Amino acid sequence: MGENTGTKAVTLSDVAARAGVSIATASKALNGRGDVAATTRARVRAVAEELSFTPNAMARGLLAGRTGTVGLLTSDLEGRFMLPILMGAEDAFGAGRVNVFLCDARGDAIREQHHLRELLSRRVDGIIVVGRQTDPRSSLGQGISVPVVYAYAPSDDPRDLSLTPDNVAGGRMAIEHLLACGRTRIAHVSGDPSYAAAQDRLTGARQALADAGLQLVGDPMFAEWSEHWGRDATALLLQRHPDIDAIFCGSDQIARGALDSARDLGRAVPDDLAVIGYDNWEVLAENSRPELTSIDANLQQLGRQAAQKVFEAIDGIDVGAGVRHLPVRLAIRGSTIARR
Amino acid sequence: MGENTGTKAVTLSDVAARAGVSIATASKALNGRGDVAATTRARVRAVAEELSFTPNAMARGLLAGRTGTVGLLTSDLEGRFMLPILMGAEDAFGAGRVNVFLCDARGDAIREQHHLRELLSRRVDGIIVVGRQTDPRSSLGQGISVPVVYAYAPSDDPRDLSLTPDNVAGGRMAIEHLLACGRTRIAHVSGDPSYAAAQDRLTGARQALADAGLQLVGDPMFAEWSEHWGRDATALLLQRHPDIDAIFCGSDQIARGALDSARDLGRAVPDDLAVIGYDNWEVLAENSRPELTSIDANLQQLGRQAAQKVFEAIDGIDVGAGVRHLPVRLAIRGSTIARR
DNA sequence: CTGTTAGCGCCTTCAG
DNA sequence: CTGAAGGCGCTAACAG
């Protein structure tokens, strides 16, 4: 641990004293404010550099009423949806010289309240609440003195602004891609049916099929978001409906399982059977045989936009309210279109 | 966005005025400091509650000289090793009522310097630097006025304190487990040989084999940390050395590929061939067929310990210096021992 | 028991 | 062009 550890930080008055000027002059010199003689300014700056003076952001914030600080309140860091959102937000804020307070509530409402208090006591200029599912979550309430934006999990209060991926459009996009590939006998294997994401994707899929005068082969199969289930469901499916030519999977994990079962049962992907996943989780999608076509929710983009909205709200711009469904995109790989 | 947005935060003097006491008395009443009449205290507390007063942490910090704030400087949020470490640290700090500033330098030294300055200007009480590989990284230097602890990627300066997983022990542990399972003809497939992690794990593996009077079958195979490589390498390996009875893989991704190839080539796992991975990345390890035995680096624990060390250093306790190699553990699943 | 006073480090008038 | 004074919100000594 550095030998300088514990040294008291140098203050503006240290710099002023060493430069032989008053604190006020030193302040002006360093901030380029007011009229200061060029020589004086240079001298002060040199001293500041020499002492490696760093202005105390707290003292500044106390005056300014702004801290240049934003709270990121996550419900569960573990979820893999958090990370890209967090990255996007951190990225956007970092570019604007704002720092991020990270708080993980571990999915616990009490801990969340606790963290909220802390963030407010630190006078963050704004808050982004990131949830782990797209199901609506309870609002933090309207009595908060700084702007709040909800990302991924929308707030259940329409007065709040929420950004969430458009799962209905994603479901539609998946089916439209399969149709474009000439598939017509399409089945659906998804995860936990209690998730809004599962229902929304199904809704979109059905819309797209209906638009083409088609419908799903068999009932949609729901259970859990795992490879195991993807394997089991697909085996069952191919036995019951051997004539299907495509499977729309509710997640990439399920799709990986589907690919495994298809291979076991001698069905060639994509020639004989097309498989499309959801999430575009690259570690899974790019390492399967064949590589997996998938729907990407643009989460990093979502995080960036959430940050953007918080910025605007801080600047007094009206960012509106309600749930915004952000567009998703298709990542095409070999599981739906033969390569080369 | 809440209708209260923009309202000026209520201050202690608001509370004091409304309660008909002086600011000092209000402060004492709320903090349980000094002697205050029980009735007064109750009244002040009621008013504070009513106005939903939140003390200004900045003003407090200004007096106390401590901010109750720690910086987490990551080099790359994307890496999956970051998340558990970050969680562990956030967890430990959260319990101690400390908040975390998250900064992602995106692997860029200039951005790192920039973030470091920001953290110092916010007067964080300490800093954890989290790297994405176990290769030593350049030190932030000794001129920093707060304690710094390096996690995962150790500092190249022995005067710094670094916590990193013990990859040598991990390699040894993997081999010892395979030996305990009765395997003797063991091969090694790993990732990018320029990673210290790859070399350290190999070193540990060789030590354990030597202790048993054995050696690796064939040369260790290095290329990249991917399923693709795991598949290709394993196919090659089984062709060149059909008599091997176990593969120690440098990552779970590689191990997943190994399982795939083994299945393709008709080798039964674990009866005919045992496979052990590294990282214990549960999404991969628990969804393979059979499930994957793996070495777990206890990263969340590592993050917690880093936080702990920072705490101690802040409290003036000497935490020492140098690189600490933290113990890893074995997660046994079906790829080395038949289930049931 | 309560209120007054003096700062923490910085920035912003406003005189000199 | 420079410096002295006031105050951001809060707490820690002191008086009263």
Side-chain angles (χ1 to χ4, degrees):
Chain A
M1 204 115 309
E3 63 267 347
N4 294 33
T5 300
T7 312
K8 261 197 87 53
V10 337
T11 78
L12 185 57
S13 72
D14 295 336
V15 176
R18 195 96 132 76
V21 296
S22 75
I23 298 180
T25 306
S27 170
K28 287 176 206 155
L30 293 176
N31 298 312
R33 225 57 78 99
D35 290 315
V36 180
T39 60
T40 313
R41 170 156 303 162
R43 185 155 36 93
V44 172
R45 289 216 159 129
V47 172
E49 182 74 18
E50 181 192 349
L51 301 181
S52 69
F53 164 72
T54 327
N56 186 325
M58 281 184 302
R60 252 185 189 167
L62 207 50
L63 268 313
R66 264 196 200 189
T67 55
T69 278
V70 163
L72 217 52
L73 199 50
T74 84
S75 62
D76 180 9
L77 267 181
E78 225 168 326
R80 73 175 171 293
F81 304 122
M82 290 293 177
L83 202 51
I85 296 174
L86 209 129
M87 282 179 64
E90 211 278 337
D91 206 31
F93 285 130
R97 314 201 152 272
V98 165
N99 282 128
V100 168
F101 270 119
L102 180 66
C103 296
D104 180 5
R106 292 272 184 288
D108 176 10
I110 297 180
R111 214 177 315 219
E112 184 174 273
Q113 274 304 316
H114 172 72
H115 277 139
L116 176 59
R117 289 194 98 73
E118 292 198 318
L119 289 177
L120 292 177
S121 100
R122 295 207 185 278
R123 296 297 186 266
V124 292
D125 296 329
I127 295 178
I128 296 183
V129 181
V130 192
R132 67 183 139 180
Q133 300 174 208
T134 59
D135 299 73
R137 50 149 290 148
S138 66
S139 172
L140 290 184
Q142 304 302 310
I144 298 179
S145 52
V146 296
V148 180
V149 172
Y150 296 77
Y152 203 72
S155 160
D156 59 6
D157 187 330
R159 290 171 294 177
D160 294 321
L161 174 63
S162 306
L163 306 183
T164 191
D166 192 340
N167 276 313
V168 175
R172 207 159 31 213
M173 188 178 284
I175 295 298
E176 282 163 359
H177 173 61
L178 292 175
L179 293 173
C181 293
R183 315 294 167 143
T184 55
R185 304 201 44 80
I186 303 172
H188 184 45
V189 177
S190 196
D192 186 333
S194 73
Y195 278 54
Q199 297 301 334
D200 292 344
R201 289 165 195 174
L202 173 58
T203 299
R206 284 195 157 131
Q207 286 176 7
L209 284 167
D211 289 351
L214 295 171
Q215 54 184 34
L216 280 179
V217 175
D219 286 328
M221 302 177 75
F222 289 115
E224 52 175 49
W225 307 102
S226 73
E227 271 188 78
H228 284 300
W229 165 241
R231 280 198 290 263
D232 294 348
T234 301
L236 205 61
L237 190 62
L238 289 176
Q239 181 193 328
R240 273 198 221 147
H241 305 282
D243 56 341
I244 61 172
D245 58 15
I247 307 178
F248 168 31
C249 297
S251 80
D252 288 341
Q253 293 195 68
I254 292 173
R256 283 292 298 250
L259 290 179
D260 267 3
S261 276
R263 161 177 296 261
D264 285 354
L265 299 173
R267 306 283 296 237
V269 176
D271 300 335
D272 193 18
L273 182 73
V275 174
I276 183 168
Y278 208 107
D279 295 337
N280 194 30
W281 193 4
E282 299 189 347
V283 169
L284 294 184
E286 293 183 345
N287 280 287
S288 59
R289 286 182 295 175
E291 296 192 1
L292 191 61
T293 295
S294 190
I295 304 292
D296 188 313
N298 288 320
L299 294 179
Q300 195 161 346
Q301 173 74 2
L302 192 150
R304 245 194 306 272
Q305 288 205 31
Q308 190 60 39
K309 288 297 173 196
V310 168
F311 268 143
E312 293 176 9
I314 291 173
D315 289 341
I317 299 173
D318 179 26
V319 294
V323 180
R324 293 297 152 80
H325 295 275
L326 302 191
V328 299
R329 68 186 176 80
L330 179 64
I332 299 180
R333 298 197 186 84
S335 69
T336 54
I337 295 183
R339 302 181 74 180
R340 219 113 322 173
Chain B
M1 205 113 313
E3 63 265 347
N4 295 33
T5 301
T7 312
K8 259 195 87 54
V10 338
T11 76
L12 186 57
S13 73
D14 295 337
V15 176
R18 195 96 133 72
V21 296
S22 77
I23 300 181
T25 305
S27 170
K28 287 176 207 154
L30 292 176
N31 298 310
R33 226 57 77 100
D35 289 317
V36 181
T39 60
T40 313
R41 170 158 302 164
R43 185 155 37 92
V44 172
R45 291 214 159 132
V47 171
E49 182 76 17
E50 181 192 348
L51 301 181
S52 68
F53 164 73
T54 326
N56 186 326
M58 283 183 301
R60 259 189 184 162
L62 208 48
L63 266 314
R66 265 196 200 190
T67 56
T69 278
V70 164
L72 218 51
L73 200 50
T74 84
S75 62
D76 180 9
L77 267 180
E78 225 166 328
R80 71 176 172 294
F81 304 122
M82 291 292 180
L83 203 51
I85 296 173
L86 210 128
M87 281 178 65
E90 211 278 337
D91 206 32
F93 285 130
R97 314 202 152 272
V98 164
N99 282 128
V100 168
F101 270 119
L102 180 66
C103 296
D104 180 6
R106 291 272 184 289
D108 175 11
I110 297 180
R111 212 176 318 220
E112 184 174 272
Q113 273 305 314
H114 172 72
H115 277 139
L116 176 59
R117 288 193 99 72
E118 293 200 316
L119 290 176
L120 292 178
S121 100
R122 297 207 184 279
R123 295 295 187 270
V124 293
D125 297 329
I127 295 178
I128 297 183
V129 180
V130 192
R132 66 182 140 182
Q133 299 174 207
T134 59
D135 299 73
R137 49 150 290 148
S138 66
S139 172
L140 290 185
Q142 305 301 311
I144 298 178
S145 52
V146 296
V148 179
V149 172
Y150 296 78
Y152 203 71
S155 161
D156 60 6
D157 187 331
R159 289 171 295 177
D160 295 320
L161 174 63
S162 306
L163 306 183
T164 191
D166 192 339
N167 275 313
V168 175
R172 208 162 28 214
M173 189 179 284
I175 297 298
E176 281 165 359
H177 173 61
L178 292 175
L179 293 173
C181 293
R183 314 293 166 145
T184 56
R185 305 200 42 82
I186 304 173
H188 184 45
V189 177
S190 194
D192 186 333
S194 73
Y195 279 54
Q199 297 301 335
D200 291 344
R201 289 165 195 173
L202 172 59
T203 299
R206 286 196 156 130
Q207 286 177 6
L209 283 166
D211 288 351
L214 295 171
Q215 53 184 36
L216 280 179
V217 175
D219 286 329
M221 303 175 78
F222 289 114
E224 52 176 48
W225 306 102
S226 74
E227 269 188 80
H228 285 300
W229 165 241
R231 280 197 291 263
D232 294 347
T234 301
L236 206 61
L237 191 62
L238 289 175
Q239 184 192 325
R240 273 198 221 147
H241 304 281
D243 57 340
I244 61 171
D245 57 16
I247 307 179
F248 167 34
C249 298
S251 80
D252 288 340
Q253 293 195 67
I254 292 173
R256 282 292 298 250
L259 290 178
D260 267 3
S261 276
R263 163 178 293 262
D264 285 353
L265 299 174
R267 306 282 295 236
V269 176
D271 299 335
D272 193 17
L273 181 73
V275 174
I276 183 167
Y278 208 107
D279 295 337
N280 195 28
W281 192 5
E282 299 188 348
V283 169
L284 293 184
E286 292 182 346
N287 279 286
S288 60
R289 287 182 296 175
E291 297 193 359
L292 191 61
T293 295
S294 190
I295 303 292
D296 188 313
N298 289 319
L299 293 179
Q300 195 160 346
Q301 174 74 3
L302 191 149
R304 244 194 305 271
Q305 288 204 33
Q308 190 60 39
K309 287 299 173 195
V310 169
F311 268 142
E312 292 176 10
I314 291 173
D315 289 341
I317 299 173
D318 179 26
V319 295
V323 179
R324 287 310 143 78
H325 296 274
L326 303 191
V328 300
R329 69 186 174 79
L330 180 66
I332 300 179
R333 298 198 185 85
S335 69
T336 54
I337 296 184
R339 303 181 75 178
R340 218 109 330 168

